[in-house]
């Protein structure tokens, strides 16, 4: 048994992952669930533990990593890893891992939940009824957008973006996409057309974001591109909040340029732009793209397997850095 190995988890994760670590005999410490971890506590953890399992909300920067004395692996409980200074970790021979693919279906499904909720004004209608305003069927009550035959624009045609597009086939939608490179197999499967981003925002009735957060994608949807979108279009973001200029989005929604928006992520998360909270044509969710029991359990197991593999074999199952 490897009781000599110590693993720190920055927040309670599903038991499925913790059990794998305990079965190996590791000493596992979980930070209290209802208290955000401080930088001082993170510095202490990277100094004293062999492995760290962290969340996307935990910033593991160069300063934090400078305290690492015995840390061998940082297993991010997420697909994205923009919260970690990956290059600095590699320089210090610390593996960084993520949880790819496992949350593709869950996030694609939630994207479609937002598309349907916004286009058919589901949340707005629910509030309308609960306030006692429903007096009977009316021909023009809460009219929404029909999506059959509309054009869906996918920005970022990775696993999740492609999964969202596949689901659009059943709705008889036209699919256009923008990505770092064209995807011939994806085009053949879905009849999707590759466009530049500026072309895509002009033709899509629904723009759905699935790109990673990098310095190049911050405010990828800036004021100019948001107002270049078709009048009456819908914007969906289940990627990363800073990809969208929220100030510009608020302006476009208030002016009626956009029909609506569905957001699972926010520019300054967990803070939400106060004006978004006032708008009826926005559906706001608390970053629950991967929030199914099956997905979150497997994410925990995947993070644990990465930790075990590094500690036992000095190799990662899902590495995002190499040295």
């Amino acid at each position: 048994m490897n009781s000599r190995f110590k693993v720190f988890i920055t927040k309670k994760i599903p038991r499925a992952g913790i059990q794998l670590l305990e079965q190996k005999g590791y000493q596992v410490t979980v930070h209290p669930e209802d208290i955000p971890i401080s930088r001082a506590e993170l510095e202490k953890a990277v100094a004293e533990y062999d492995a760290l399992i962290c969340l996307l909300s935990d910033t593991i920067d160069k300063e934090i990593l400078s305290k690492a004395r015995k840390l061998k692996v940082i297993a991010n409980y997420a697909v994205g890893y923009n919260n970690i200074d990956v290059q600095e970790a590699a320089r210090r021979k610390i593996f960084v891992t993520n949880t790819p693919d496992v949350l593709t279906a869950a996030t694609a499904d939630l994207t479609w939940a937002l598309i349907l909720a916004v286009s058919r004004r589901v949340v707005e209608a629910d509030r309308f009824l609960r306030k006692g305003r429903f007096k009977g069927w009316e021909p023009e009550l809460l009219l929404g957008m029909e999506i059959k035959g509309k054009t869906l624009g996918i920005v970022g045609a990775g696993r999740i973006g492609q999964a969202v597009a596949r689901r659009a086939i059943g709705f008889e939608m036209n699919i256009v996409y923008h990505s770092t490179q064209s995807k011939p197999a994806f085009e053949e499967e879905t009849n999707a057309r590759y466009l530049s981003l500026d072309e895509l925002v002009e033709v899509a009735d629904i723009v759905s974001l699935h790109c990673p957060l990098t310095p190049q994608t911050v405010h990828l949807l800036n004021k100019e591109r948001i107002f270049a979108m078709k009048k009456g279009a819908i914007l969906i973001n289940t990627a990363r909040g800073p990809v969208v200029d929220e100030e510009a989005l608020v302006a476009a929604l208030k002016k009626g340029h956009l029909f609506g928006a569905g957001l699972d992520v926010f520019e300054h998360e967990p803070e939400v732009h106060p004006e978004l909270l006032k708008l009826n044509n926005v559906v706001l969710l608390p970053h629950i793209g991967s929030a199914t029991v099956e997905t979150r359990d497997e994410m925990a197991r995947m993070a644990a397997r990465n930790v075990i593999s590094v500690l036992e074999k000095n190799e990662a199952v899902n590495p995002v850095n190499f040295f």
Side-chain angles (χ1 to χ4, degrees):
M1 303 295 280
N2 293 298
S3 59
R4 68 185 186 280
F5 288 134
K6 297 170 62 179
V7 182
F8 188 87
I9 306 175
T10 62
K11 201 159 193 171
K12 182 182 176 183
I13 63 173
R15 186 76 191 144
I18 297 173
Q19 283 178 327
L20 290 182
L21 299 170
E22 291 177 340
Q23 287 167 5
K24 298 294 293 185
Y26 299 166
Q27 296 178 42
V28 181
T29 301
V30 182
H31 190 265
E33 180 180 11
D34 57 345
I35 306 171
I37 191 166
S38 67
R39 284 187 65 84
E41 289 170 310
L42 270 177
E43 288 179 358
K44 190 171 186 289
V46 301
E48 298 179 1
Y49 287 79
D50 300 286
L52 179 73
I53 296 179
C54 62
L55 309 185
L56 194 62
S57 54
D58 301 320
T59 300
I60 315 295
D61 55 22
K62 186 174 184 178
E63 183 181 354
I64 293 287
L65 289 168
S66 71
K67 310 298 181 182
R69 292 197 294 267
K70 54 188 293 192
L71 192 67
K72 299 176 180 65
V73 55
I74 301 169
N76 217 33
Y77 185 75
V79 173
Y81 46 88
N82 54 280
N83 57 311
I84 302 170
D85 189 330
V86 174
Q87 291 183 339
E88 179 64 16
R91 192 180 74 80
R92 294 177 176 275
K93 301 295 191 291
I94 299 169
F95 285 96
V96 177
T97 71
N98 66 342
T99 59
D101 200 28
V102 64
L103 48 70
T104 297
T107 306
D109 287 348
L110 188 85
T111 299
W112 269 97
L114 282 171
I115 290 172
L116 293 170
V118 176
S119 65
R120 294 304 303 271
R121 302 170 67 178
V122 172
V123 176
E124 185 183 356
D126 178 85
R127 291 177 185 146
F128 178 89
L129 187 145
R130 289 175 188 272
K131 290 178 180 178
R133 296 174 61 190
F134 179 49
K135 306 303 179 184
W137 185 88
E138 295 180 19
E140 295 187 339
L141 177 63
L142 292 162
L143 298 180
M145 175 198 290
E146 188 165 313
I147 60 175
K148 177 183 177 181
K150 296 295 195 302
T151 298
L152 174 64
I154 300 290
V155 179
R159 295 184 184 94
I160 296 172
Q162 291 188 35
V164 170
R166 292 187 192 99
R167 285 156 173 75
I169 296 171
F171 289 92
E172 301 178 37
M173 299 188 77
N174 304 305
I175 301 166
V176 296
Y177 77 101
H178 176 75
S179 196
T180 52
Q181 59 186 10
S182 62
K183 309 277 180 107
F186 168 59
E187 293 175 11
E188 184 175 354
E189 179 185 7
T190 62
N191 202 31
R193 291 188 297 121
Y194 179 88
L195 297 177
S196 72
L197 182 56
D198 290 328
E199 290 172 326
L200 182 146
V201 297
E202 290 180 356
V203 304
D205 299 289
I206 300 170
V207 175
S208 191
L209 303 177
H210 304 284
C211 52
L213 179 61
T214 67
Q216 292 72 38
T217 62
V218 172
H219 283 193
L220 188 69
L221 264 286
N222 54 20
K223 181 178 180 180
E224 290 74 19
R225 287 190 174 122
I226 288 172
F227 278 92
M229 290 173 64
K230 292 176 68 173
K231 183 172 175 57
I234 290 171
L235 177 64
I236 303 292
N237 189 7
T238 57
R240 291 288 178 265
V243 173
V244 176
D245 181 343
E246 279 186 5
E247 197 69 40
L249 175 60
V250 166
L253 290 164
K254 279 185 169 182
K255 292 179 179 179
H257 181 74
L258 298 184
F259 180 85
L263 308 174
D264 186 44
V265 290
F266 304 94
E267 186 171 358
H268 303 292
E269 196 169 316
E271 295 179 17
V272 180
H273 194 297
E275 294 303 309
L276 287 174
L277 297 170
K278 300 175 184 178
L279 297 172
N280 284 327
N281 57 343
V282 184
V283 177
L284 307 171
L285 300 179
H287 205 148
I288 58 170
S290 63
T292 66
V293 172
E294 297 86 350
T295 295
R296 292 287 173 84
D297 277 356
E298 184 55 26
M299 287 172 67
R301 285 190 287 263
M302 187 175 287
R305 286 194 291 265
N306 274 292
V307 166
I308 292 167
S309 182
V310 171
L311 296 183
E312 302 286 337
K313 304 175 184 177
N314 197 38
E315 60 184 43
V317 180
N318 308 106
V320 299
N321 65 345
F322 302 90
F323 47 86

